[in-house]
C-alpha cells in the first residue's frame, strides 16, 4: 500500500522539481538585478535597493505603458470571451453535426499560425494603399483609411487580430463544452417553454461556470504575452499609444537605454500585479 501511494511522487517529483527550479531561479535573479543599477554598457553594478521602483512611479512613459496594458487586457479578454460564447452557442443551436466539425477545423486554423506571421499578414491587410480591408473603403468613398495611424484604431486593430486567433478557438472549446452537458436540464427547460436565450443564460452557462472562468484566466495570462503581435503591427505606435508594459521594459533594457535593472524592476512589478490580480479574480469568481 505504501509503495502504491508513493508511486505518484516518484514520477511527479523530478518533473515538479525541474519546474520549480526553472521558475524560481529566473525570478530570484530578476529581483536581484532590479535592486541594482546594472546596465549593458558597464560590467560592474552596485545595489541601489528600491531606487528603480521609486523612479518608475515618476516615469510618465511607464505609467502610460501600465494604462495601455490595462486597456489591452480588458479589450482583448472581453472581446475574445464574447466572440467565443456567441459563436459557440450559435454553432450549438444552428449548425448540423457535419457543419460543426467543418467549422471547428476552420476555427482552429488561426490559432495554429505563428503569431508573428499572423501579425505581418494583418498588418499588410490594414495597409492604407494595398490592404485588402482598406481597398473597398477607398474605392467606395475615395478616402484612404489609415487605421494603424490613430491611437484608438491601432489598439482596436491589434485587438481584432488577437480575437481572430483566440476567439474562434474559444468558440470550438465552448461548443464542445455545450455538447458534453447532460441533455435532461435542457429538455426540461424547453418543456417549460424557455427561450433559447433563457436556456443558455439560466441553464447552460451556469453549468459551465468553472470551465468558463478557467478560459477567462487562461486568456488573461495569454494576453500578457502579446509582445510579438503588438511589436510587429504597431511597434508601440503611433507614438507610445500602444506601448504595453513588456514592450517598454524591452525598450529600456535592450533598445534605447540598456538599463537592465530598470527593465527588471518593471518585470517584477508586472509579476506581482499579475499574481495579486489573478488570485483575487479567481477567488471572487469562484464564490
Amino acid at each position: 500500500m505504501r509503495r502504491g501511494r508513493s508511486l505518484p511522487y516518484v514520477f511527479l517529483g523530478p518533473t515538479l522539481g525541474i519546474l520549480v527550479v526553472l521558475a524560481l531561479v529566473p525570478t530570484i535573479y530578476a529581483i536581484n538585478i532590479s535592486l541594482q543599477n546594472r546596465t549593458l554598457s558597464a560590467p560592474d553594478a552596485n545595489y541601489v535597493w528600491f531606487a528603480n521602483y521609486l523612479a518608475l512611479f515618476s516615469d510618465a512613459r511607464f505609467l502610460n505603458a501600465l494604462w495601455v496594458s490595462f486597456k489591452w487586457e480588458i479589450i482583448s479578454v472581453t472581446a475574445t470571451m464574447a466572440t467565443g460564447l456567441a459563436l459557440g452557442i450559435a454553432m450549438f443551436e444552428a449548425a448540423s453535426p457535419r457543419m460543426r466539425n467543418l467549422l471547428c477545423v476552420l476555427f482552429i486554423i488561426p490559432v495554429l499560425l505563428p503569431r508573428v506571421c499572423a501579425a505581418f499578414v494583418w498588418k499588410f491587410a490594414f495597409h492604407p494603399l494595398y490592404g485588402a480591408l482598406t481597398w473597398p473603403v477607398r474605392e467606395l468613398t475615395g478616402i484612404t483609411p489609415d487605421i494603424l495611424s490613430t491611437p484608438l484604431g491601432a489598439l482596436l486593430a491589434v485587438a481584432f487580430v488577437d480575437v481572430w486567433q483566440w476567439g474562434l478557438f474559444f468558440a470550438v472549446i465552448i461548443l464542445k463544452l455545450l455538447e458534453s452537458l447532460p441533455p435532461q436540464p435542457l429538455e426540461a427547460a424547453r418543456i417549460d417553454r424557455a427561450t433559447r436565450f433563457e436556456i443558455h443564460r439560466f441553464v447552460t452557462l451556469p453549468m459551465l461556470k468553472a470551465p468558463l472562468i478557467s478560459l477567462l484566466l487562461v486568456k488573461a495570462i495569454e494576453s500578457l504575452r502579446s509582445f510579438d503581435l503588438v511589436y510587429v503591427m504597431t511597434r508601440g505606435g503611433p507614438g507610445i499609444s500602444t506601448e504595453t508594459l513588456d514592450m517598454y521594459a524591452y525598450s529600456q533594457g535592450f533598445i534605447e537605454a540598456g538599463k537592465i535593472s530598470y527593465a527588471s524592476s518593471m518585470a517584477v512589478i508586472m509579476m506581482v500585479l499579475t499574481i495579486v490580480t489573478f488570485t483575487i479574480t479567481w477567488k471572487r469568481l469562484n464564490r
Side-chain angles (χ1 to χ4, degrees):
M1 289 294 291
R2 288 183 181 177
R3 231 168 149 192
R5 290 177 181 176
S6 63
L7 192 60
Y9 298 99
V10 173
F11 287 106
L12 294 176
T15 304
L16 292 176
I18 292 172
L19 291 175
V20 168
V21 170
L22 292 177
L24 285 181
V25 171
T27 301
I28 294 173
Y29 188 68
I31 294 173
N32 181 55
I33 291 180
S34 71
L35 301 175
Q36 303 175 20
N37 59 355
R38 187 177 296 276
T39 62
L40 289 177
S41 59
D44 300 323
N46 300 314
Y47 281 94
V48 294
W49 303 109
F50 296 101
N52 290 320
Y53 295 94
L54 295 175
L56 283 176
F57 293 99
S58 60
D59 185 349
R61 192 171 167 186
F62 167 77
L63 297 176
N64 173 77
L66 202 60
W67 174 239
V68 171
S69 297
F70 175 76
K71 289 190 295 183
W72 167 254
E73 281 287 308
I74 296 297
I75 293 173
S76 62
V77 174
T78 303
T80 298
M81 293 301 298
T83 302
L85 283 170
L87 291 177
I89 293 174
M91 288 191 292
F92 181 75
E93 289 290 343
S96 63
R98 181 175 295 180
M99 180 59 67
R100 289 179 189 176
N101 293 332
L102 176 61
L103 291 174
C104 286
V105 172
L106 294 177
F107 286 178
I108 288 175
I109 292 174
V111 81
L112 298 178
L113 294 176
R115 184 71 72 92
V116 174
C117 296
F120 272 114
V121 170
W122 282 104
K123 182 179 181 180
F124 189 76
F126 285 116
H127 193 280
L129 296 178
Y130 313 110
L133 296 180
T134 57
W135 175 80
V137 177
R138 189 174 63 254
E139 290 297 318
L140 292 173
T141 64
I143 301 173
T144 303
D146 193 357
I147 300 172
L148 297 178
S149 67
T150 63
L152 180 60
L155 186 63
L156 293 179
V158 178
F160 170 80
V161 179
D162 186 67
V163 173
W164 171 74
Q165 280 200 300
W166 288 97
L168 300 183
F169 178 60
F170 277 20
V172 175
I173 297 176
I174 291 169
L175 171 63
K176 297 307 175 183
L177 289 172
L178 290 170
E179 291 177 346
S180 67
L181 291 176
Q184 291 82 5
L186 279 69
E187 293 173 0
R190 292 190 185 101
I191 291 173
D192 290 337
R193 298 183 180 180
T195 63
R196 292 182 179 182
F197 175 78
E198 291 172 337
I199 289 173
H200 290 292
R201 181 182 176 185
F202 297 109
V203 181
T204 58
L205 294 184
M207 293 174 69
L208 296 177
K209 180 181 178 182
L212 289 178
I213 292 173
S214 300
L215 281 178
L216 178 76
L217 293 178
V218 167
K219 182 62 188 88
I221 294 171
E222 192 280 331
S223 291
L224 292 173
R225 301 169 54 251
S226 57
F227 171 86
D228 46 359
L229 177 63
V230 181
Y231 187 80
V232 170
M233 290 193 68
T234 67
R235 303 232 169 180
I240 56 173
S241 59
T242 59
E243 185 178 62
T244 55
L245 197 55
D246 51 353
M247 287 190 65
Y248 183 44
Y250 174 75
S251 176
Q252 287 294 299
F254 300 99
I255 301 299
E256 295 180 10
K259 298 178 180 179
I260 298 297
S261 294
Y262 197 60
S264 295
S265 63
M266 293 185 217
V268 172
I269 287 179
M270 191 173 178
M271 178 189 68
V272 172
L273 288 176
T274 302
I275 293 173
V276 172
T277 303
F278 286 176
T279 302
I280 294 173
T281 303
W282 178 261
K283 288 185 177 181
R284 293 235 174 146
L285 291 176
N286 280 284
R287 284 182 177 177

